[in-house]
Amino acid sequence: MSGRSERVAPLAVKIVVSGGLGVGKTTFIGAVSEIEPLDTEAAITQVSVGVDSLAGVEGKTTTTVALDFGRITLDPTIALYLFGTPGQDRFSFLWDDLVEGALGTVVLVDTRRIEDCFPALDYFEAHGAPFVLAVNRFEGSERFELGEIREALGVGDSVPVVECDARARASVRDVLGALMDQVIGVRVRGRRVAAASR
């Protein structure tokens, strides 16, 4: 026996967390990150008046202007690196860099501002990236069945729609587990199609 450790470094996997302004991306990453999360929160100022709508999230005082970043080790073999996108359309030029090399995406949905997730949905559908919709349940917000939310957003049955509480570590882990299942499923289906076409 050698004295060397048999530990192997976990596989690093990039995951993107996206959605509209105030949907809970920073909270989602902070709830599960095992390192001090990096965020680029800045105060919402008068400059954003008339540019960024705060309808439904009037109490919000800060916003992400570049990215959020955190890490979670799912098991000894996989470490997920979480990158949160800014929610405003005016920062969407950053998305291409944040998404490059990502295995999949969590698109957070706020039923108070459901239309805010359309830019993210359109972006990730156009890029063919595996994703899940995670409905962040805010206290006092109207509750809808997941099927109703799927229908309102025009998302096909192949995309998982799950509930979550972005403040709760266990809930966030469940969403990330659903995303990993989706990524594996998409890859398996792709291999089957490729094998059938040979």
Side-chain angles (χ1 to χ4, degrees):
M1 284 289 273
S2 71
R4 288 190 333 195
S5 169
E6 296 297 321
R7 270 183 80 184
V8 176
L11 173 68
V13 175
K14 183 178 184 180
I15 299 296
V16 172
V17 180
S18 193
L21 174 68
V23 76
K25 300 177 294 292
T26 302
T27 302
F28 183 97
I29 291 172
V32 79
S33 181
E34 60 200 18
I35 61 171
E36 183 68 31
L38 165 72
D39 64 52
T40 55
E41 292 282 295
I44 295 174
T45 65
Q46 286 299 111
V47 176
S48 68
V49 173
V51 178
D52 301 324
S53 170
L54 295 178
V57 290
E58 291 83 3
K60 187 165 176 59
T61 59
T62 62
T63 186
T64 299
V65 294
L67 64 97
D68 297 310
F69 175 77
R71 184 190 76 212
I72 177 174
T73 304
L74 279 189
D75 66 39
T77 63
I78 301 175
L80 299 185
Y81 289 85
L82 307 172
F83 289 80
T85 67
Q88 303 95 315
D89 289 345
R90 62 194 169 104
F91 293 125
S92 62
F93 65 90
L94 296 169
W95 286 17
D96 286 341
D97 289 334
L98 290 174
V99 169
E100 186 176 349
L103 195 63
T105 303
V106 174
V107 177
L108 284 171
V109 178
D110 179 353
T111 57
R112 301 170 302 176
R113 297 163 53 99
I114 200 163
E115 68 283 351
D116 285 5
C117 72
F118 280 119
L121 282 177
D122 292 344
Y123 182 91
F124 295 109
E125 284 178 339
H127 284 74
F131 66 93
V132 299
L133 284 180
V135 181
N136 192 8
R137 297 298 193 185
F138 288 89
E139 290 176 21
S141 65
E142 191 171 355
R143 296 183 77 85
F144 298 93
E145 295 296 326
L146 295 180
E148 293 177 283
I149 295 169
R150 177 188 297 283
E151 187 175 337
L153 295 174
V155 176
D157 291 339
S158 63
V159 176
V161 180
V162 298
E163 286 187 307
C164 80
D165 179 343
R167 302 166 299 179
R169 181 178 178 84
S171 183
V172 172
R173 281 186 67 102
D174 289 346
V175 172
L176 294 173
L179 176 61
M180 296 310 290
D181 289 345
Q182 174 71 347
V183 167
I184 291 166
V186 166
R187 292 192 171 211
V188 167
R189 287 191 295 273
R191 286 188 189 124
R192 287 181 184 153
V193 168
S197 64
R198 286 185 191 143

